[in-house]
Amino acid sequence: MDIWDFIFSLIPDKAETKFNKAFNHYSSNVASIIIFSDIRIKPLASSPKFYDWVLRKFGADAPITAQCFNDLLETRVSLDIQLQASNFEVPIRMNQRTFKAICDTFKIYCNVKNFFLPSHLETISRSASHEILGPLFEHYLADLIGIEVTYQLPMESIEDLDIMQTEESNDMEIIENVLNGDQTISQNDQISSAKRKLETKEIKEIKELWKEKLEDMHYNSIYNGSGITNPFRNCLRIFVEEKLPYAEEKSKRINNCLSKRRKYSTKKSESDEDSKQ
């Protein structure tokens, strides 16, 4: 039994809710580690194995699982920022095994479900890693708007095989129970096997939310793109200008407006200089 299973068993009522509340409180109070004057690493609130356990225990749709992904994403991006600055293969003050475990756990979450939200874009914009940008732009968003998916999942990881084997064994137990006349399926099995189905209206709202956020970030970054990495900027530009529905037509209109605005700014500057002379 995992230590977390033991702790969970000691909570009498509403254990999942209390676990979620405790994790939120703890993760929000984890201080960043300063590596350089302007670079910080956001440590995970717990060990990577805890995040693995949460996914197994509560399933992909549980609130605590989403919170775990948020924490994983912030840490994974902070490590990527440090690697960009140092040009090392492993972050400073971290051994290769720990770094690999964090990366693998992030991959596992990406393989299981789309946890990405429009609110994550600001964090992701500081990343240059294709292991972060690829699943978002070339898989989840592509699948959402119904275009070709060019980043294939699942991503390979050491822990992934263990999770897949566990899920397969759980499925076999359910089948055997049904064949034997046992109709009782545990709540955890129901959660892990159930797929969240969104209504057409919900999907449309999600698409519009992503579209609005992506376009806003893209066109604002033309004027103020500080802090955005070039790989992210490129992924964003391609997706907004080439892949979104009616993207090409809208991009031309906006680029024309931007061109006129630049010409106006140039003429105004020249006029101001002439008046000074």
Side-chain angles (χ1 to χ4, degrees):
M1 176 185 288
D2 287 325
I3 181 64
W4 300 292
D5 277 316
F6 175 70
I7 295 173
F8 187 79
S9 67
L10 298 178
I11 304 175
D13 301 312
K14 298 181 179 179
E16 182 178 338
T17 302
K18 291 178 180 178
F19 234 84
N20 191 18
K21 186 176 180 180
F23 177 77
N24 287 342
H25 174 76
Y26 184 71
S27 61
S28 63
N29 286 281
V30 174
S32 297
I33 300 174
I34 300 175
I35 302 299
F36 303 117
S37 59
D38 58 343
I39 297 178
R40 298 170 179 265
I41 283 183
K42 162 65 173 63
L44 290 178
S46 186
S47 72
K49 288 190 176 295
F50 171 77
Y51 299 81
D52 179 17
W53 175 82
V54 166
L55 188 58
R56 296 171 187 266
K57 183 71 175 179
F58 301 107
D61 294 328
I64 188 173
T65 311
Q67 289 296 329
C68 282
F69 177 79
N70 294 344
D71 199 46
L72 280 165
L73 178 63
E74 289 182 9
T75 296
R76 182 66 183 86
V77 170
S78 74
L79 295 175
D80 184 46
I81 293 171
Q82 202 234 102
L83 292 177
Q84 293 173 50
S86 64
N87 291 321
F88 294 150
E89 293 184 0
V90 178
I92 298 172
R93 301 184 190 178
M94 181 175 290
N95 60 54
Q96 187 172 7
R97 184 175 180 179
T98 301
F99 177 57
K100 184 74 165 61
I102 293 172
C103 292
D104 276 356
T105 306
F106 177 77
K107 290 178 183 178
I108 290 169
Y109 271 68
C110 289
N111 291 342
V112 169
K113 177 187 172 180
N114 173 26
F115 289 97
F116 289 110
L117 299 172
S119 58
H120 291 147
L121 280 175
E122 186 175 347
T123 297
I124 298 172
S125 69
R126 294 174 289 163
S127 173
S129 172
H130 197 230
E131 289 185 354
I132 300 173
L133 302 179
L136 174 61
F137 285 102
E138 300 172 29
H139 187 95
Y140 295 128
L141 289 178
D143 184 59
L144 180 65
I145 66 173
I147 62 175
E148 182 184 3
V149 171
T150 55
Y151 192 95
Q152 299 302 321
L153 294 179
M155 291 184 280
E156 291 185 5
S157 67
I158 296 174
E159 299 291 339
D160 223 6
L161 182 60
D162 295 335
I163 286 184
M164 291 174 66
Q165 289 175 344
T166 301
E167 290 176 347
E168 288 174 0
S169 63
N170 287 341
D171 290 340
M172 288 303 298
E173 288 175 7
I174 294 171
I175 293 171
E176 289 174 1
N177 288 337
V178 172
L179 291 176
N180 293 331
D182 184 359
Q183 300 296 326
T184 303
I185 301 176
S186 70
Q187 183 180 5
N188 287 334
D189 289 331
Q190 290 177 358
I191 292 174
S192 63
S193 63
K195 299 295 182 181
R196 186 181 180 187
K197 296 181 179 179
L198 298 174
E199 298 293 336
T200 304
K201 183 179 178 181
E202 290 179 294
I203 295 175
K204 185 177 180 180
E205 290 174 353
I206 291 172
K207 285 182 179 179
E208 288 301 317
L209 189 61
W210 271 109
K211 183 172 176 288
E212 180 181 346
K213 186 70 175 178
L214 289 165
E215 288 181 339
D216 183 60
M217 177 170 272
H218 171 58
Y219 293 115
N220 283 337
S221 71
I222 294 176
Y223 282 105
N224 182 21
S226 59
I228 296 179
T229 65
N230 287 331
F232 177 87
R233 190 193 305 274
N234 189 48
C235 288
L236 183 64
R237 180 191 62 77
I238 291 173
F239 195 84
V240 172
E241 294 188 3
E242 300 177 14
K243 295 185 177 181
L244 281 177
Y246 311 108
E248 186 175 352
E249 180 182 344
K250 183 171 183 177
S251 178
K252 286 180 179 178
R253 291 201 308 269
I254 292 178
N255 286 334
N256 287 336
C257 291
L258 292 174
S259 179
K260 290 178 181 178
R261 190 179 297 179
R262 291 192 190 99
K263 288 180 180 178
Y264 173 78
S265 298
T266 302
K267 288 181 179 180
K268 190 175 185 304
S269 298
E270 292 174 352
S271 176
D272 291 341
E273 289 180 3
D274 291 340
S275 62
K276 289 179 182 179
Q277 294 176 357

